[in-house]
Amino acid sequence: MLNLKFYKGALGALICFDLSMKVEEERIFKWVKEVKSHAADGCCVVIIGTKSVKIEYPEYNQTSKILKEYALKNNLLYFETSVLKPDTIFLSIEELIEDVKAKHLDSLILNPSLSHMSFLEQTVDSGSLVNNCFDAR
């Protein structure tokens, strides 16, 4: 499990699953439940399938299908991403930001402590968020 401080009170979350590995719906449910139980009310969740260009994995089609169906059934956004196609990563983050703004605009305006959203948008635009994600040490 991730340390709770990474998502406690979060307005949005990206939950990533490796498309080259088999995934069970219970595991997806567990992570979504975990995030939603500690995040802000109405937390926007995006399900991400990673390594989307490596479709030679036998698990790819099954895992992709399970993730897509889970997201659709639970009204969550779903994206497949790859480090070889950074635009897919940017798109998923930008969609999360737009979803958070649409659902939480009032609280973002009324609560100055949540003004980090504009910083996050600037970080996404500059590309440093993705670079930092892959350069984490």
Side-chain angles (χ1 to χ4, degrees):
M1 281 291 157
L2 281 175
N3 189 322
L4 178 62
K5 71 180 180 182
F6 288 119
Y7 53 93
K8 184 176 182 181
L11 298 176
L14 299 166
I15 303 177
C16 302
F17 295 92
D18 186 338
L19 291 172
S20 68
M21 300 176 71
K22 184 178 178 184
V23 67
E24 302 291 331
E25 189 170 335
E26 295 81 34
R27 189 166 152 232
I28 305 165
F29 174 78
K30 180 187 99 175
W31 277 106
V32 171
K33 181 181 174 192
E34 175 72 18
V35 168
K36 288 192 171 194
S37 67
H38 297 290
D41 287 339
C43 176
C44 304
V45 174
V46 177
I47 303 292
I48 304 284
T50 64
K51 300 182 183 175
S52 66
V53 296
K54 296 189 175 188
I55 57 175
E56 69 271 8
Y57 291 112
E59 293 82 3
Y60 171 82
N61 288 329
Q62 179 186 8
T63 299
S64 178
K65 180 181 177 195
I66 291 169
L67 292 174
K68 284 177 193 171
E69 288 174 355
Y70 185 89
L72 184 63
K73 184 170 64 174
N74 292 280
N75 200 29
L76 303 173
L77 294 173
Y78 175 74
F79 291 92
E80 292 188 0
T81 64
S82 169
V83 294
L84 300 177
K85 295 184 178 181
D87 57 318
T88 60
I89 298 167
F90 286 116
L91 179 62
S92 63
I93 295 169
E94 288 170 350
E95 287 296 319
L96 175 61
I97 291 171
E98 291 304 314
D99 200 26
V100 168
K101 284 164 65 175
K103 291 180 181 173
H104 299 282
L105 185 59
D106 291 340
S107 60
L108 291 170
I109 292 170
L110 298 174
N111 189 345
S113 68
L114 298 175
S115 63
H116 59 278
M117 283 300 295
S118 60
F119 169 75
L120 179 59
E121 287 179 297
Q122 292 168 5
T123 307
V124 169
D125 290 342
S126 71
S128 59
L129 177 65
V130 173
N131 293 337
N132 289 339
C133 288
F134 296 111
D135 193 32
R137 292 187 180 105

